[in-house]
């Protein structure tokens, strides 16, 4: 038992959730929707985040375990479906990490005015990948500490964006027209970036993966999830307004957008260059902290699944003294490295490749949430007598309605990631086919590994039963 047991209180949980959910890497993607993003934020927060937070809180307090989402699906649907959930939850981090560190390389190049060669960018991404793995391997305390610092840095950067945006708008006017009409939800413009809003709000349940390390989780987890949800919502809207104050929507770049916005907002302020450099560096550090948070959570879920005999045994290997999931962490680093090397072979345009890698990993990432919401309903029926310290405060029909609404949001985001022009009635198979192919291969590989692993673990049980 490590010294970290039962040491993460309410404040630490809130900061951990903030670090996991509050991400800067797709803030520019949300801003690319233009002023209508404000309306979309409002609808998503009311119709998706509130029920999502309440559902995650009920599950996390009723069934606290290191596996989190994996454990809930296992209780609801059995070993195979739990293994699939764990596989997707884990593999998406290895697929997503390259997109984050591609963004890191692009932001660093823009911030420090560097002309990094492709080889240098690839090398930097690989270095950051294994630095992340090392942070996750050394101890839970280190990872949680980085998450706390990352959460604070994200709040500093986003608050600075928002405050500077209001100052800039007061002196120079908004770069985009901000009226009640323009802020209404619209399917015009960059609607392909709409699923980034859903993506930006996922991860509340990640703190449940630290269940055994939480102090009084039944009381603290509900407060942490709900308070963090409110803070996240306000910060996202505030930061998005800052970017829209500085840059016309057609000039918001996915990779360099944040740095470009900082340069415009702070250009006329005292020590403007200092502020741009300082906030830019903090933004870079938040990318690392974000990957540490997600690697910690997903690797723990994968390790628990592997130890249950559902995923390859190597994923379940833990450090003997520290208890950290070294096997899953290192394999995450290996997957990320392979994807980064492929990026080096295919790289053409940073923005396009960032979005392609991000969209692919996001489709994998969203699938377990379909199972999580379905597991909530299944457990309400299958395990109705189980104690629920913080049940969803709703009647059964309303609970079904809220869950169905959450499922629709996830399905909508999935479809728009794969078919970004679907809202306009257009499907570009040349653009969507690689994503569908990659998704199919990921699912197939998972099925092969799960089938082989479950088949091996089932054989001794059959043999013992026969001998008896």
């Amino acid at each position: 038992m490590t010294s970290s047991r039962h040491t993460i209180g309410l404040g630490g949980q809130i900061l951990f959730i903030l670090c996991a959910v509050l991400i800067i890497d797709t803030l520019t993607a949300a801003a690319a929707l233009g002023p209508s993003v404000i309306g979309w934020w409002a609808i998503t927060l009311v119709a998706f985040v509130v029920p999502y937070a309440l559902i995650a809180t009920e599950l996390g307090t009723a069934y606290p375990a290191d596996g989190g989402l994996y454990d809930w699906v296992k209780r609801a649907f059995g070993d195979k479906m739990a293994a699939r959930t764990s596989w997707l939850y884990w593999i998406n981090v290895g697929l997503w990490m390259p997109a984050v560190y591609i963004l890191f390389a692009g932001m660093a190049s823009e911030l420090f005015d560097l002309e990094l060669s492709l080889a240098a960018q690839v090398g930097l991404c690989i270095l950051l990948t294994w630095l992340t793995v090392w942070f996750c391997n050394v101890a839970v305390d280190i990872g949680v500490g980085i998450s706390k610092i990352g959460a604070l840095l994200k709040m500093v950067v986003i608050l600075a964006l928002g405050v500077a945006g209001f100052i800039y708008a007061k002196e120079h006017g908004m770069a985009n027209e901000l009226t009640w009409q323009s802020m209404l939800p619209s399917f015009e413009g960059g609607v392909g970036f709409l699923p980034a809003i859903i993506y930006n709000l996922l991860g509340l349940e990640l703190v449940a993966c630290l269940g055994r390390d939480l102090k009084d989780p039944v009381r603290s987890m509900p407060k942490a999830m709900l308070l963090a949800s409110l803070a996240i919502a306000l910060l996202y809207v505030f930061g998005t307004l800052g970017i829209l104050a500085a840059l016309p929507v057609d000039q918001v770049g996915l990779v360099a957008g944040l740095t470009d916005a900082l340069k415009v907002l702070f250009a006329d302020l005292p020590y403007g260059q200092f502020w741009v450099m300082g906030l830019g560096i903090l933004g870079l550090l938040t990318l690392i902290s974000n990957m540490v948070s997600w690697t910690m959570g997903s690797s723990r879920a994968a390790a628990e699944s592997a130890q249950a005999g559902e995923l390859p045994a190597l994923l379940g290997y833990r450090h003997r003294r520290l208890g950290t999931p070294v096997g899953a962490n290192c394999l995450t680093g290996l997957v990320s490295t392979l994807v980064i090397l492929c990026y080096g072979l295919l790289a053409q345009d940073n923005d396009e490749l960032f979005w392609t890698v991000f969209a692919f990993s996001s489709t994998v990432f969203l699938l377990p949430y379909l199972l999580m919401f379905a597991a909530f309903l299944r457990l309400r029926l299958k395990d109705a007598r189980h104690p629920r310290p913080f049940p969803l405060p709703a009647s059964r029909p309303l609970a079904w309605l809220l869950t169905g609404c959450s499922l629709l949001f996830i399905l909508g985001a999935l479809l728009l990631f794969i078919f970004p022009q679907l809202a306009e009635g257009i499907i570009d198979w040349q653009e969507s086919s690689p994503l569908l192919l990659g998704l199919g291969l990921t699912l197939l590989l998972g099925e092969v590994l799960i089938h082989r692993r479950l088949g091996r673990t089932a054989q001794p049980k059959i043999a013992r039963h026969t001998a008896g």
Side-chain angles (χ1 to χ4, degrees), residues 253-270:
L254 297 181
V255 171
L258 179 62
T259 307
D260 290 341
L262 289 173
K263 288 179 178 179
V264 172
L265 293 174
F266 289 91
D268 297 332
L269 296 181

Side-chain angles (χ1 to χ4, degrees), residues 36 39-40 43 181-187:
S36 69
W40 284 116
I43 289 175
Q181 184 66 31
S182 67
M183 288 189 293
L184 291 175
S186 170
F187 285 105

Side-chain angles (χ1 to χ4, degrees), residues 303-344:
E304 187 162 318
S305 183
Q307 288 169 346
E310 298 158 355
L311 288 179
L314 187 55
L315 284 168
Y317 177 75
R318 289 180 182 265
H319 194 285
R320 290 184 179 179
R321 180 171 59 86
L322 300 173
T324 52
V326 173
N329 289 336
C330 290
L331 286 173
T332 297
L334 181 61
V335 171
S336 177
T337 300
L338 292 174
V339 175
I340 290 167
L341 291 173
C342 291
Y343 157 78

Side-chain angles (χ1 to χ4, degrees), residues 98-99 101-110 116-118 121 125 253-256 343 346-358:
Y101 289 144
I102 288 167
L103 177 67
F104 186 105
M107 282 180 60
S109 299
E110 186 75 17
L116 290 178
S117 66
L118 181 59
Q121 292 184 51
C125 291
L254 297 181
V255 171
Y343 157 78
L346 302 173
Q348 294 176 359
D349 176 78
N350 263 13
D351 276 359
E352 184 179 344
L353 277 165
F354 165 78
W355 184 257
T356 300
V357 175
F358 170 70

